[in-house]
Amino acid sequence: MNNNLLLEKQLCFRLYSLNKLMCRLYAPVLKDLALTYPQYLVMMVLWQYKAGISVKDLGAKLDLDSGTLSPLLKRMEKQTLIKRERDTKDERVVLIKLTQKGIELQQSAEHIPAKMFAVTGLSPEKLQALNLTLDQLIDNLGD
Amino acid sequence: MNNNLLLEKQLCFRLYSLNKLMCRLYAPVLKDLALTYPQYLVMMVLWQYKAGISVKDLGAKLDLDSGTLSPLLKRMEKQTLIKRERDTKDERVVLIKLTQKGIELQQSAEHIPAKMFAVTGLSPEKLQALNLTLDQLIDNLGD
DNA sequence: CATAATTAGATTGTACGCAATACAATTGCA
DNA sequence: TGCAATTGTATTGCGTACAATCTAATTATG
């Protein structure tokens, strides 16, 4: 009997498990900022693009489509973290911009990366090596 | 300005992206078996435990709670892939067992691991090294 | 042996993730 | 210019994830 179908052998299951573990580890930290994990990812993009970014470009960065982003962004708008404005140059485009509250939240998030790095228990070198391997894999999987 | 909050620097975002990429790559392959990705994970456990397994033990293997598993298993029961029976020794326990259809589906899945391995573009050695690193990380994150 | 504590599942409510579809704005081209 | 194709976003529907809560069954303890 072929045993290649064992759960423990699958790379995909490791990635599935790790993603869930990460979400759970971030959850209590992000709760202080009243953010969910995907909302935190959105905020990281917006902190980088303070002039604003279209839903489309945001989706390209996060690899998420409008079916996910539209309701997610509406919830964030309701929390007054972001504003949504039609682009006057192209009315199809919705530009996402941080509110003052959204901008200020960055300070409260500055400590998170170091904190989460510590949780991984990896040395800086191991982390970098892992990141490189994962980037290569993302590339191979034809992102 | 601290730039540790860049999306591209985050290990968590790589894992988040890879998990989604994996799901998308499996989706068309699993569509032939009429399985979703989490259902495929459940089937792998059941193919290993043909005598049956409790919902609790299944949840421990997959790291999923009853809030996720109960409806998921009901959908699988509706597809007649599995049966759900109360354990006569302990009426609180629900035992999950494959139907004949569920058992036979394994043959149709045997080709999937090799196929997906090919997609990764990794050598067997690189894959094994990556799996080891990820297992260590899973361990560190306190699975 | 009665009752409190524990355990196994189910249910409810919220939030993704994504396919499929719809629609309005823009662009391309005859 | 007129109209088809394309583009950007929104909506709908389904399937996870998971916290919180509930119920029934079992176990522990005085």
Side-chain angles (χ1 to χ4, degrees):
Chain A
M1 215 278 283
N2 181 326
N3 67 349
N4 286 329
L5 282 169
L6 289 179
L7 194 65
E8 296 76 19
K9 286 199 174 188
Q10 314 303 317
L11 173 60
C12 70
F13 181 60
R14 288 176 170 86
L15 294 170
Y16 169 83
S17 298
L18 272 170
N19 181 52
K20 283 196 303 174
L21 283 173
M22 279 291 182
C23 288
R24 284 183 212 152
L25 287 169
Y26 273 86
V29 178
L30 294 176
K31 191 165 191 178
D32 298 341
L33 315 191
L35 291 177
T36 66
Y37 186 72
Q39 287 169 8
Y40 174 61
L41 299 179
V42 167
M43 290 303 286
M44 275 197 279
V45 175
L46 295 179
W47 286 326
Q48 194 179 352
Y49 291 86
K50 293 213 171 67
I53 185 171
S54 70
V55 172
K56 176 190 163 69
D57 290 346
L58 185 57
K61 297 242 164 245
L62 298 169
D63 195 13
L64 288 173
D65 73 0
S66 66
T68 303
L69 278 178
S70 285
L72 192 159
L73 292 171
K74 282 188 178 175
R75 283 187 288 270
M76 293 178 74
E77 187 180 37
K78 202 173 288 178
Q79 295 177 253
T80 67
L81 288 171
I82 61 168
K83 289 170 292 190
R84 302 186 316 132
E85 304 168 356
R86 289 278 163 186
D87 187 338
T88 52
K89 295 185 212 305
D90 183 340
E91 290 285 346
R92 292 171 305 179
V93 174
V94 171
L95 290 174
I96 306 298
K97 286 182 189 169
L98 288 171
T99 60
Q100 191 58 35
K101 179 179 171 189
I103 292 171
E104 286 168 3
L105 196 65
Q106 184 173 9
Q107 261 104 75
S108 312
E110 295 281 8
H111 74 288
I112 295 178
K115 185 172 197 164
M116 297 312 293
F117 164 67
V119 173
T120 65
L122 297 176
S123 66
E125 297 74 26
K126 273 225 163 188
L127 174 62
Q128 208 201 338
L130 177 57
N131 278 338
L132 281 175
T133 305
L134 296 181
D135 285 341
Q136 184 195 326
L137 186 56
I138 288 172
D139 218 53
N140 292 350
L141 296 186
D143 188 30
Chain B
M1 215 276 283
N2 181 328
N3 66 350
N4 287 329
L5 282 169
L6 289 179
L7 194 65
E8 297 75 19
K9 287 200 173 187
Q10 314 302 317
L11 172 60
C12 70
F13 181 60
R14 289 175 169 87
L15 295 170
Y16 170 82
S17 298
L18 273 170
N19 181 51
K20 284 194 302 173
L21 283 173
M22 279 291 182
C23 288
R24 285 182 210 152
L25 288 169
Y26 273 86
V29 179
L30 294 177
K31 192 166 190 179
D32 298 340
L33 315 191
L35 291 176
T36 66
Y37 186 73
Q39 286 169 9
Y40 174 61
L41 299 179
V42 167
M43 290 303 287
M44 276 197 279
V45 175
L46 296 178
W47 287 325
Q48 195 178 352
Y49 291 85
K50 294 212 172 67
I53 186 172
S54 70
V55 172
K56 176 190 163 69
D57 290 346
L58 185 57
K61 297 241 166 244
L62 298 169
D63 194 14
L64 288 173
D65 73 2
S66 67
T68 303
L69 278 178
S70 285
L72 192 159
L73 292 171
K74 282 188 178 174
R75 283 187 287 271
M76 294 179 74
E77 187 181 36
K78 202 172 290 178
Q79 297 178 251
T80 67
L81 289 171
I82 62 168
K83 289 170 292 191
R84 302 186 317 131
E85 304 167 357
R86 288 278 162 188
D87 187 338
T88 52
K89 294 185 212 307
D90 184 340
E91 291 285 348
R92 291 171 305 179
V93 174
V94 171
L95 290 174
I96 305 298
K97 286 182 188 167
L98 288 172
T99 60
Q100 191 57 36
K101 179 180 171 188
I103 292 171
E104 287 168 3
L105 197 65
Q106 185 173 9
Q107 261 105 74
S108 312
E110 294 282 8
H111 74 289
I112 295 179
K115 185 171 195 161
M116 297 312 293
F117 164 65
V119 173
T120 65
L122 297 177
S123 65
E125 296 74 27
K126 272 224 163 186
L127 174 61
Q128 207 202 338
L130 177 56
N131 278 339
L132 281 175
T133 305
L134 296 181
D135 285 342
Q136 184 196 326
L137 186 55
I138 288 172
D139 218 52
N140 290 352
L141 297 186
D143 189 28

